[in-house]
mmCIF file of all heavy atoms in Angstrom:
data_model
loop_
_atom_site.group_PDB
_atom_site.id
_atom_site.type_symbol
_atom_site.label_atom_id
_atom_site.label_comp_id
_atom_site.label_asym_id
_atom_site.label_seq_id
_atom_site.Cartn_x
_atom_site.Cartn_y
_atom_site.Cartn_z
ATOM 1 N N PHE O 1 200.567 -32.033 -80.475
ATOM 2 C CA PHE O 1 201.512 -32.233 -81.555
ATOM 3 C C PHE O 1 201.462 -33.713 -81.916
ATOM 4 O O PHE O 1 201.754 -34.563 -81.069
ATOM 5 C CB PHE O 1 202.928 -31.856 -81.095
ATOM 6 C CG PHE O 1 203.030 -30.427 -80.639
ATOM 7 C CD1 PHE O 1 202.704 -30.082 -79.336
ATOM 8 C CD2 PHE O 1 203.416 -29.430 -81.515
ATOM 9 C CE1 PHE O 1 202.784 -28.772 -78.900
ATOM 10 C CE2 PHE O 1 203.495 -28.111 -81.087
ATOM 11 C CZ PHE O 1 203.178 -27.780 -79.789
ATOM 12 N N HIS O 2 201.069 -34.009 -83.162
ATOM 13 C CA HIS O 2 201.011 -35.398 -83.615
ATOM 14 C C HIS O 2 202.077 -35.573 -84.689
ATOM 15 O O HIS O 2 202.041 -34.901 -85.724
ATOM 16 C CB HIS O 2 199.627 -35.761 -84.145
ATOM 17 C CG HIS O 2 199.550 -37.191 -84.571
ATOM 18 N ND1 HIS O 2 199.565 -38.225 -83.664
ATOM 19 C CD2 HIS O 2 199.512 -37.751 -85.792
ATOM 20 C CE1 HIS O 2 199.520 -39.372 -84.328
ATOM 21 N NE2 HIS O 2 199.497 -39.103 -85.613
ATOM 22 N N PHE O 3 203.014 -36.477 -84.442
ATOM 23 C CA PHE O 3 204.148 -36.670 -85.324
ATOM 24 C C PHE O 3 203.790 -37.688 -86.402
ATOM 25 O O PHE O 3 203.366 -38.796 -86.118
ATOM 26 C CB PHE O 3 205.373 -37.083 -84.497
ATOM 27 C CG PHE O 3 205.813 -35.957 -83.603
ATOM 28 C CD1 PHE O 3 205.244 -35.792 -82.346
ATOM 29 C CD2 PHE O 3 206.716 -35.020 -84.052
ATOM 30 C CE1 PHE O 3 205.605 -34.724 -81.537
ATOM 31 C CE2 PHE O 3 207.082 -33.947 -83.261
ATOM 32 C CZ PHE O 3 206.520 -33.790 -82.000
ATOM 33 N N LEU O 4 203.968 -37.244 -87.651
ATOM 34 C CA LEU O 4 203.543 -38.033 -88.809
ATOM 35 C C LEU O 4 204.681 -38.809 -89.454
ATOM 36 O O LEU O 4 204.457 -39.859 -90.055
ATOM 37 C CB LEU O 4 202.908 -37.115 -89.857
ATOM 38 C CG LEU O 4 201.687 -36.337 -89.381
ATOM 39 C CD1 LEU O 4 201.298 -35.280 -90.399
ATOM 40 C CD2 LEU O 4 200.531 -37.285 -89.119
ATOM 41 N N ASP O 5 205.916 -38.264 -89.371
ATOM 42 C CA ASP O 5 207.034 -38.894 -90.045
ATOM 43 C C ASP O 5 208.332 -38.442 -89.382
ATOM 44 O O ASP O 5 208.432 -37.300 -88.924
ATOM 45 C CB ASP O 5 207.046 -38.492 -91.526
ATOM 46 C CG ASP O 5 207.981 -39.337 -92.370
ATOM 47 O OD1 ASP O 5 208.103 -40.550 -92.104
ATOM 48 O OD2 ASP O 5 208.604 -38.784 -93.300
ATOM 49 N N GLY O 6 209.306 -39.326 -89.327
ATOM 50 C CA GLY O 6 210.628 -38.972 -88.839
ATOM 51 C C GLY O 6 210.799 -39.133 -87.338
ATOM 52 O O GLY O 6 209.960 -39.723 -86.656
ATOM 53 N N GLU O 7 211.916 -38.553 -86.848
ATOM 54 C CA GLU O 7 212.264 -38.645 -85.432
ATOM 55 C C GLU O 7 212.817 -37.314 -84.953
ATOM 56 O O GLU O 7 213.379 -36.540 -85.732
ATOM 57 C CB GLU O 7 213.328 -39.735 -85.210
ATOM 58 C CG GLU O 7 212.850 -41.108 -85.600
ATOM 59 C CD GLU O 7 213.943 -42.160 -85.458
ATOM 60 O OE1 GLU O 7 215.143 -41.812 -85.362
ATOM 61 O OE2 GLU O 7 213.587 -43.339 -85.435
ATOM 62 N N GLY O 8 212.667 -37.085 -83.644
ATOM 63 C CA GLY O 8 213.183 -35.854 -83.076
ATOM 64 C C GLY O 8 213.077 -35.863 -81.572
ATOM 65 O O GLY O 8 212.811 -36.896 -80.949
ATOM 66 N N VAL O 9 213.293 -34.691 -81.006
ATOM 67 C CA VAL O 9 213.212 -34.498 -79.562
ATOM 68 C C VAL O 9 212.275 -33.327 -79.315
ATOM 69 O O VAL O 9 212.411 -32.269 -79.937
ATOM 70 C CB VAL O 9 214.603 -34.200 -78.959
ATOM 71 C CG1 VAL O 9 214.494 -33.890 -77.473
ATOM 72 C CG2 VAL O 9 215.543 -35.373 -79.202
ATOM 73 N N MET O 10 211.334 -33.517 -78.413
ATOM 74 C CA MET O 10 210.431 -32.439 -78.018
ATOM 75 C C MET O 10 210.777 -32.048 -76.589
ATOM 76 O O MET O 10 210.937 -32.901 -75.719
ATOM 77 C CB MET O 10 208.978 -32.872 -78.116
ATOM 78 C CG MET O 10 208.030 -31.763 -77.756
ATOM 79 S SD MET O 10 206.498 -31.855 -78.665
ATOM 80 C CE MET O 10 205.831 -30.267 -78.205
ATOM 81 N N VAL O 11 210.910 -30.743 -76.377
ATOM 82 C CA VAL O 11 211.141 -30.210 -75.046
ATOM 83 C C VAL O 11 209.798 -29.698 -74.533
ATOM 84 O O VAL O 11 209.128 -28.909 -75.210
ATOM 85 C CB VAL O 11 212.168 -29.056 -75.072
ATOM 86 C CG1 VAL O 11 212.332 -28.458 -73.689
ATOM 87 C CG2 VAL O 11 213.492 -29.540 -75.621
ATOM 88 N N VAL O 12 209.404 -30.163 -73.357
ATOM 89 C CA VAL O 12 208.165 -29.719 -72.715
ATOM 90 C C VAL O 12 208.533 -29.364 -71.280
ATOM 91 O O VAL O 12 208.915 -30.242 -70.500
ATOM 92 C CB VAL O 12 207.076 -30.808 -72.740
ATOM 93 C CG1 VAL O 12 205.813 -30.307 -72.047
ATOM 94 C CG2 VAL O 12 206.767 -31.239 -74.173
ATOM 95 N N GLY O 13 208.455 -28.067 -70.968
ATOM 96 C CA GLY O 13 208.903 -27.612 -69.656
ATOM 97 C C GLY O 13 210.385 -27.884 -69.513
ATOM 98 O O GLY O 13 211.191 -27.438 -70.325
ATOM 99 N N THR O 14 210.753 -28.695 -68.522
ATOM 100 C CA THR O 14 212.162 -29.031 -68.306
ATOM 101 C C THR O 14 212.506 -30.434 -68.805
ATOM 102 O O THR O 14 213.625 -30.899 -68.625
ATOM 103 C CB THR O 14 212.503 -28.934 -66.808
ATOM 104 O OG1 THR O 14 211.659 -29.840 -66.083
ATOM 105 C CG2 THR O 14 212.319 -27.518 -66.287
ATOM 106 N N GLU O 15 211.536 -31.112 -69.425
ATOM 107 C CA GLU O 15 211.747 -32.483 -69.885
ATOM 108 C C GLU O 15 212.009 -32.535 -71.381
ATOM 109 O O GLU O 15 211.450 -31.762 -72.152
ATOM 110 C CB GLU O 15 210.518 -33.343 -69.590
ATOM 111 C CG GLU O 15 210.239 -33.541 -68.122
ATOM 112 C CD GLU O 15 209.077 -34.485 -67.900
ATOM 113 O OE1 GLU O 15 209.108 -35.603 -68.465
ATOM 114 O OE2 GLU O 15 208.149 -34.094 -67.191
ATOM 115 N N GLU O 16 212.846 -33.486 -71.795
ATOM 116 C CA GLU O 16 213.062 -33.790 -73.201
ATOM 117 C C GLU O 16 212.493 -35.174 -73.470
ATOM 118 O O GLU O 16 212.772 -36.116 -72.721
ATOM 119 C CB GLU O 16 214.541 -33.759 -73.564
ATOM 120 C CG GLU O 16 215.113 -32.367 -73.607
ATOM 121 C CD GLU O 16 216.476 -32.307 -74.292
ATOM 122 O OE1 GLU O 16 216.971 -33.355 -74.780
ATOM 123 O OE2 GLU O 16 217.043 -31.212 -74.338
ATOM 124 N N VAL O 17 211.711 -35.286 -74.531
ATOM 125 C CA VAL O 17 211.060 -36.544 -74.874
ATOM 126 C C VAL O 17 211.400 -36.883 -76.322
ATOM 127 O O VAL O 17 211.233 -36.045 -77.207
ATOM 128 C CB VAL O 17 209.525 -36.417 -74.731
ATOM 129 C CG1 VAL O 17 208.838 -37.713 -75.103
ATOM 130 C CG2 VAL O 17 209.143 -35.976 -73.344
ATOM 131 N N GLU O 18 211.884 -38.105 -76.563
ATOM 132 C CA GLU O 18 212.117 -38.540 -77.934
ATOM 133 C C GLU O 18 210.768 -38.813 -78.576
ATOM 134 O O GLU O 18 209.880 -39.419 -77.959
ATOM 135 C CB GLU O 18 212.992 -39.787 -77.955
ATOM 136 C CG GLU O 18 214.413 -39.493 -77.539
ATOM 137 C CD GLU O 18 215.344 -40.675 -77.732
ATOM 138 O OE1 GLU O 18 215.006 -41.598 -78.505
ATOM 139 O OE2 GLU O 18 216.407 -40.665 -77.101
ATOM 140 N N VAL O 19 210.605 -38.335 -79.820
ATOM 141 C CA VAL O 19 209.360 -38.526 -80.548
ATOM 142 C C VAL O 19 209.656 -39.135 -81.916
ATOM 143 O O VAL O 19 210.744 -38.964 -82.456
ATOM 144 C CB VAL O 19 208.579 -37.200 -80.719
ATOM 145 C CG1 VAL O 19 208.067 -36.696 -79.380
ATOM 146 C CG2 VAL O 19 209.431 -36.138 -81.403
ATOM 147 N N ALA O 20 208.672 -39.856 -82.428
ATOM 148 C CA ALA O 20 208.772 -40.469 -83.754
ATOM 149 C C ALA O 20 207.369 -40.567 -84.324
ATOM 150 O O ALA O 20 206.381 -40.314 -83.625
ATOM 151 C CB ALA O 20 209.424 -41.847 -83.651
ATOM 152 N N ALA O 21 207.284 -40.948 -85.594
ATOM 153 C CA ALA O 21 205.988 -41.085 -86.256
ATOM 154 C C ALA O 21 205.043 -41.903 -85.390
ATOM 155 O O ALA O 21 205.401 -42.961 -84.882
ATOM 156 C CB ALA O 21 206.164 -41.750 -87.617
ATOM 157 N N GLY O 22 203.845 -41.368 -85.181
ATOM 158 C CA GLY O 22 202.826 -42.026 -84.371
ATOM 159 C C GLY O 22 202.681 -41.437 -82.980
ATOM 160 O O GLY O 22 201.655 -41.631 -82.338
ATOM 161 N N ALA O 23 203.700 -40.718 -82.497
ATOM 162 C CA ALA O 23 203.640 -40.131 -81.153
ATOM 163 C C ALA O 23 202.751 -38.890 -81.138
ATOM 164 O O ALA O 23 202.699 -38.144 -82.117
ATOM 165 C CB ALA O 23 205.035 -39.756 -80.673
ATOM 166 N N THR O 24 202.079 -38.669 -80.020
ATOM 167 C CA THR O 24 201.283 -37.464 -79.795
ATOM 168 C C THR O 24 201.680 -36.889 -78.442
ATOM 169 O O THR O 24 201.779 -37.626 -77.464
ATOM 170 C CB THR O 24 199.773 -37.772 -79.808
ATOM 171 O OG1 THR O 24 199.419 -38.350 -81.072
ATOM 172 C CG2 THR O 24 198.955 -36.522 -79.575
ATOM 173 N N VAL O 25 201.906 -35.571 -78.416
ATOM 174 C CA VAL O 25 202.272 -34.879 -77.182
ATOM 175 C C VAL O 25 201.260 -33.760 -76.964
ATOM 176 O O VAL O 25 200.984 -32.991 -77.887
ATOM 177 C CB VAL O 25 203.698 -34.285 -77.274
ATOM 178 C CG1 VAL O 25 204.043 -33.519 -76.003
ATOM 179 C CG2 VAL O 25 204.727 -35.387 -77.545
ATOM 180 N N VAL O 26 200.707 -33.673 -75.760
ATOM 181 C CA VAL O 26 199.762 -32.619 -75.401
ATOM 182 C C VAL O 26 200.430 -31.735 -74.349
ATOM 183 O O VAL O 26 200.965 -32.249 -73.362
ATOM 184 C CB VAL O 26 198.439 -33.213 -74.866
ATOM 185 C CG1 VAL O 26 197.487 -32.106 -74.454
ATOM 186 C CG2 VAL O 26 197.797 -34.107 -75.921
ATOM 187 N N VAL O 27 200.384 -30.415 -74.579
ATOM 188 C CA VAL O 27 201.061 -29.458 -73.706
ATOM 189 C C VAL O 27 200.038 -28.460 -73.169
ATOM 190 O O VAL O 27 199.290 -27.864 -73.946
ATOM 191 C CB VAL O 27 202.174 -28.709 -74.472
ATOM 192 C CG1 VAL O 27 202.911 -27.759 -73.552
ATOM 193 C CG2 VAL O 27 203.135 -29.691 -75.122
ATOM 194 N N PRO O 28 199.991 -28.252 -71.853
ATOM 195 C CA PRO O 28 199.049 -27.283 -71.278
ATOM 196 C C PRO O 28 199.445 -25.834 -71.588
ATOM 197 O O PRO O 28 200.596 -25.538 -71.903
ATOM 198 C CB PRO O 28 199.143 -27.529 -69.767
ATOM 199 C CG PRO O 28 199.885 -28.799 -69.589
ATOM 200 C CD PRO O 28 200.704 -29.006 -70.816
ATOM 201 N N THR O 29 198.502 -24.937 -71.449
ATOM 202 C CA THR O 29 198.723 -23.508 -71.652
ATOM 203 C C THR O 29 199.872 -23.006 -70.791
ATOM 204 O O THR O 29 199.980 -23.344 -69.613
ATOM 205 C CB THR O 29 197.440 -22.729 -71.295
ATOM 206 O OG1 THR O 29 196.411 -23.132 -72.193
ATOM 207 C CG2 THR O 29 197.646 -21.227 -71.400
ATOM 208 N N GLY O 30 200.741 -22.192 -71.408
ATOM 209 C CA GLY O 30 201.821 -21.540 -70.687
ATOM 210 C C GLY O 30 203.078 -22.356 -70.494
ATOM 211 O O GLY O 30 204.118 -21.815 -70.145
ATOM 212 N N VAL O 31 203.010 -23.677 -70.708
ATOM 213 C CA VAL O 31 204.189 -24.517 -70.541
ATOM 214 C C VAL O 31 205.060 -24.373 -71.790
ATOM 215 O O VAL O 31 204.581 -24.454 -72.917
ATOM 216 C CB VAL O 31 203.795 -25.992 -70.316
ATOM 217 C CG1 VAL O 31 205.021 -26.886 -70.271
ATOM 218 C CG2 VAL O 31 202.979 -26.133 -69.036
#
């Protein structure tokens, strides 16, 4: 997931990560 604009929160497994334009999150299969 590559964030292009804005701000938000991404939930991955049991973690919450703040994301904004420029951030990239990689998630493994099944998570």
